[in-house]
Amino acid sequence: MIPTGMQLSDEEVSAAAVTESSLAQAEVGPGIVEGVCQRCRQRALVSLPDGRQYCRACIGLGRITSTTRLWRFPSSASEGGRLTWTGTLTPPQAAAAQAAIASVATGRDHLLWAVTGAGKTEMLFPLIAHELGLNHRVAVVTPRIDVVLELAPRLQAAFAGTSMAVQYGGTPWPEAPTSLLVATTHQLLRYYHHFDLVIVDEVDAFPFSQTPMLAAAVAQANRGPTVYLSATPPRRLKRAARRGQMGVSFLVRRFHGFPLPVPKLVVAPLKQVPTKLSNAVLALLRVGTQGRQCLLFVPRIEWLGPLAQALSQAGYSVETAHAADPDRVAKVQQFRDGTFTVLVTTTILERGVTIPRCSVLVLAADDRQFGASGLIQMAGRAGRSQASPDDPVWFVGRHMTLAMLVARHEIQVINGRKP
């Protein structure tokens, strides 16, 4: 392995069989300095029985202790790459892409604020091509593995022939340096001042939005500007854009030009763990599966089995998916392929999944697990195809909540804005 631009612990260096020549070029320092972990920059130390301390913040990537050494390997020259995608952006998409390029060219961060289904991935192509044309290294990162799995094949197809690595928990490390990385944000903890541009997709998603360590990982892995993508950006980014502290592109229409489907709010009785569905909910499902598939979101994993059984008994072909499901990736692909009609899932699929002709039903939308931004993202799974832009969306709850009302209102406001 040639660990260009990486920062690795003693244990990782040994496991990766780093060459002697690479070791000779590395800077070596302590893993913890004055109570701060040098990998994740957090003060989150816990004492071990032998008196050593370790960082609990980044323990998921292996233990950094007060006796661990951290090896930082220099970056080498990038071979660059080129865009092979032959598609065409709409005028608003092209304008957004050029605004991002202009920001990055001056070393300025940029916010690409676009509604779900606006074609954010395609808008990245000119920006990535611009950077690769300068022999710069680019990382496209996101908090969710599902989004990585959605992005990676599209970027591989758009930049055919460009060296590219895909990294998330459990994947092997790249054997050689690449020009383009697609990864979960956690993987940036293993890089140090390596990338000339980092693009953070779904910046408002958990765990990035609630884990300061991941923002620190982006800053430490990067040596250039950062571009943030979201349909529901956090307040700090909105504020920075309003104050002119970063560039911004704002798209209020999907690539096909149709407005976002507006959720219908439905009050219906629900048990604590539903073992069967009310006639009202079954009636919605009948509408939602006429010529379509349906994503049925629920707030808890323990609801999945009983609901799947109830739907199966009602005559639906159904599957379930959640974060800890080892077959999740295969099931999502089968859903894309139309193998079954209803996918009952948790919020793990609120982002990064595009299914043509897909209705959305959020069950127990009044649950505190569902915030307004999450509900907007779930609603955004519907209407993404030009052939079916009006897929129905329902928020079903025992009562109305502020989050449900805010989500619907924000979608209506966006639809009312001029493109």
Side-chain angles (χ1 to χ4, degrees), residues 330-343:
K331 289 176 179 178
V332 172
Q333 186 57 53
Q334 289 168 357
F335 190 55
R336 286 194 179 99
D337 296 339
T339 306
F340 52 90
T341 303
V342 180
L343 181 58

Side-chain angles (χ1 to χ4, degrees), residues 254 256 258-264 287-288 290 292 357-360 379 381-394:
R254 290 179 158 176
H256 50 53
F258 290 93
L260 301 169
V262 177
K264 294 182 174 66
V287 173
Q290 288 177 1
R292 296 180 173 90
R357 297 186 179 277
C358 184
S359 63
V360 169
R381 300 310 99 203
R384 298 173 74 90
S385 168
Q386 188 165 0
S388 186
D390 57 348
D391 296 328
V393 178
W394 297 281

Side-chain angles (χ1 to χ4, degrees), residues 8 25 72 83 136 145 219 232 243 267 332 337 342 347 416:
L8 304 175
Q25 298 177 46
R72 287 176 173 164
L83 180 64
H136 287 174
I145 292 176
T232 51
R243 293 175 177 175
V267 174
V332 172
D337 296 339
V342 180
T347 56

Side-chain angles (χ1 to χ4, degrees), residues 367-385:
D367 193 278
R368 61 183 180 182
Q369 177 75 16
F370 297 137
S373 64
L375 290 170
I376 291 170
Q377 291 285 352
M378 285 180 270
R381 300 310 99 203
R384 298 173 74 90
S385 168

Side-chain angles (χ1 to χ4, degrees), residues 30-182:
I32 295 173
V33 176
E34 297 181 353
V36 178
C37 175
Q38 297 303 290
R39 179 168 67 186
C40 70
R41 297 294 173 180
Q42 303 302 298
R43 291 182 179 271
L45 302 187
V46 177
S47 295
L48 291 166
D50 62 7
R52 291 181 301 157
Q53 292 183 307
Y54 74 92
C55 177
R56 65 182 177 185
C58 59
I59 187 66
L61 274 73
R63 184 179 286 174
I64 297 289
T65 75
S66 47
T67 58
T68 300
R69 291 179 300 175
L70 201 60
W71 300 70
R72 287 176 173 164
F73 299 88
S75 290
S76 59
S78 169
E79 62 185 20
R82 67 183 187 88
L83 180 64
T84 55
W85 180 66
T86 57
T88 303
L89 297 178
T90 65
Q93 288 176 324
Q98 289 304 312
I101 291 171
S103 291
V104 168
T106 59
R108 194 180 189 207
D109 291 348
H110 193 86
L111 170 62
L112 182 52
W113 183 356
V115 298
T116 57
K120 292 190 291 292
T121 303
E122 288 75 16
M123 283 183 269
L124 291 179
F125 293 167
L127 172 61
I128 295 172
H130 177 269
E131 291 297 293
L132 294 178
L134 298 172
N135 289 337
H136 287 174
R137 279 201 170 85
V138 179
V140 182
V141 298
T142 176
R144 300 281 181 88
I145 292 176
D146 297 273
V147 182
V148 171
L149 297 174
E150 178 91 10
L151 286 172
R154 295 167 69 182
L155 288 169
Q156 284 174 326
F159 294 90
T162 298
S163 61
M164 175 176 152
V166 180
Q167 285 182 254
Y168 52 88
T171 57
W173 295 343
E175 289 296 318
T178 61
S179 300
L180 180 59
L181 173 71
V182 185

